[in-house]
Amino acid sequence: MELHDVWFVLIAVLWTGYFFLEGFDFGVGILTRLLARDRAEKRVLINTIGPVWDGNEVWLLTAGGATFAAFPEWYATLFSGFYLPLLLILVCLIVRGVAFEYRAKRPEENWQRNWETAIFWTSLLPAFLWGVAFGNIVHGVKIDAEFEYVGNVWDLLNPYALLGGLVTLTLFTFHGTVFTALKTVGEIRERARRLALRVGLVTAVLASAFLLWTQADRGDGTSLVALVVAVAALVAALLANQAGREGWSFTLSGLTIVAAVAMLFLTLFPNVMPSTLDADWSLTVTNASSSPYTLKIMTWLAVIATPVVLLYQGWTYWVFRKRIGTQHIADPVH
């Protein structure tokens, strides 16, 4: 296996980790409007992800940085062609971080309600737009002989990509719902379990349609295995949720995300951005990669740094592993 193949796999792993981790905190952000009934319950939801949401976003920064260094042609075409949706995602992530930090800085009702509204929308929009973006990456876009995107923003809003957006939106919401059931106690936990069933059923329908479309379009035997694992894990997550086994439900919903993202990258390889104008104009792991020397240096850095980051982030989750409820919410101090 060549180094550019190794880095394609590593970037796939980084995106998988990002969607697994950021997926549930996007879901929790959406639940501040769908599940919480009062201010105390909204604080419970926000506190479940408070210690970890910013660490989850490190996976996005690492995935973007790795793409820039390992596949500069891919990075350039992706970020120029998808400029508007990616800019909107970036703005949402900035506002979302500010909302988490500023929401409780003042006691006024309007102040807190406005920031809570910001948390909801800046969780919902990226959850949808990431699916649209990856749907276009896998399905292919208009790339010319110079490896430049020559379409427009409306070309990105095709049926396949929009279905992908709905899948990530519902899947992340389901993932966040089972995470909420895992991390809370009392009535909010029971309501989260009931909501998880409804959201999960919608997710199962949309995800099955999207993955079957992907398989029919570009799949092979390996991607079919990933498809079966994703669907089976989602069904098992729903059954575990109904049985009150929140830990298993969360693990299996995470496995659904892992298998689904793996399937997308399996159908993509050896391309990194297929061209719908001419297959010979597609960006591949070969023509979009950096020099072998660059990839070699990056590999050594990754071998040294990655275990440290994983250990630190794992320790963070262990420290904040306990369930919380409204009885654990202290009165705000301003």
Side-chain angles (χ1 to χ4, degrees), residues 161-173:
L162 292 174
L163 178 59
L166 292 176
V167 170
T168 52
L169 175 59
T170 54
L171 182 54
F172 291 171
T173 304

Side-chain angles (χ1 to χ4, degrees), residues 7-322:
W7 273 97
F8 179 86
V9 173
L10 290 176
I11 288 172
V13 170
L14 289 170
W15 280 110
T16 302
Y18 173 66
F19 288 141
F20 180 97
L21 296 172
E22 189 87 302
F24 72 74
D25 74 46
F26 280 150
V28 171
I30 294 169
L31 292 179
T32 57
R33 180 69 63 87
L34 301 182
L35 183 66
R37 291 179 174 174
D38 54 33
R39 174 113 320 121
E41 289 189 351
K42 289 181 179 180
R43 291 180 63 192
V44 169
L45 291 175
I46 293 171
N47 284 3
T48 62
I49 60 173
V52 298
W53 68 267
D54 50 353
N56 295 343
E57 290 186 356
V58 171
W59 288 78
L60 172 61
L61 300 176
T62 307
T67 304
F68 172 76
F71 299 100
E73 286 281 359
W74 184 13
Y75 182 93
T77 303
L78 175 64
F79 279 80
S80 60
F82 294 19
Y83 179 81
L84 286 178
L86 292 178
L87 177 63
L88 182 55
I89 290 173
L90 178 60
V91 171
C92 284
L93 294 179
I94 293 171
V95 173
R96 187 168 181 263
V98 173
F100 282 134
E101 299 297 333
Y102 274 54
R103 174 190 158 277
K105 296 299 183 183
R106 291 171 56 178
E108 291 87 354
E109 178 74 17
N110 285 342
W111 173 272
Q112 296 192 10
R113 185 173 59 250
N114 289 339
W115 285 120
E116 288 163 359
T117 300
I119 290 172
F120 170 77
W121 285 109
T122 56
S123 298
L124 185 148
L125 288 174
F128 174 74
L129 289 173
W130 279 127
V132 174
F134 269 82
N136 279 291
I137 291 173
V138 173
H139 191 63
V141 291
K142 294 179 179 179
I143 298 175
D144 65 12
E146 302 298 324
F147 301 139
E148 294 181 0
Y149 177 70
V150 293
N152 56 54
V153 68
W154 302 113
D155 293 326
L156 302 179
L157 302 179
N158 56 79
Y160 178 82
L162 292 174
L163 178 59
L166 292 176
V167 170
T168 52
L169 175 59
T170 54
L171 182 54
F172 291 171
T173 304
F174 174 69
H175 196 40
T177 308
V178 296
F179 176 80
T180 299
L182 175 65
K183 286 289 293 180
T184 58
V185 295
E187 184 184 354
I188 192 171
R189 175 190 176 191
E190 297 302 319
R191 278 191 278 115
R193 286 176 53 195
R194 292 194 295 269
L195 180 60
L197 175 62
R198 298 196 295 271
V199 175
L201 291 174
V202 175
T203 303
V205 173
L206 293 174
S208 297
F210 178 74
L211 295 179
L212 286 171
W213 189 346
T214 305
Q215 178 66 24
D217 191 27
R218 295 182 177 273
D220 56 17
T222 308
S223 62
L224 180 60
V225 172
L227 184 156
V228 172
V229 171
V231 174
L234 182 54
V235 172
L238 284 167
L239 295 175
N241 174 72
Q242 286 302 100
R245 304 296 298 273
E246 291 97 346
W248 277 108
S249 183
F250 177 72
T251 301
L252 289 164
S253 69
L255 178 59
T256 303
I257 293 174
V258 171
V261 177
M263 180 187 176
L264 295 182
F265 277 94
L266 285 169
T267 58
L268 187 61
F269 185 82
N271 294 320
V272 292
M273 283 189 76
S275 172
T276 57
L277 300 178
D278 190 323
D280 291 335
W281 297 344
S282 298
L283 288 168
T284 69
V285 293
T286 303
N287 63 26
S289 68
S290 293
S291 68
Y293 180 75
T294 300
L295 296 177
K296 184 177 180 180
I297 296 298
M298 289 175 59
T299 303
W300 280 110
L301 291 174
V303 168
I304 295 170
T306 302
V308 177
V309 174
L310 292 176
L311 286 172
Y312 175 78
Q313 193 163 24
W315 175 78
T316 303
Y317 277 92
W318 174 257
V319 169
F320 295 100
R321 67 189 182 277
K322 292 183 178 180

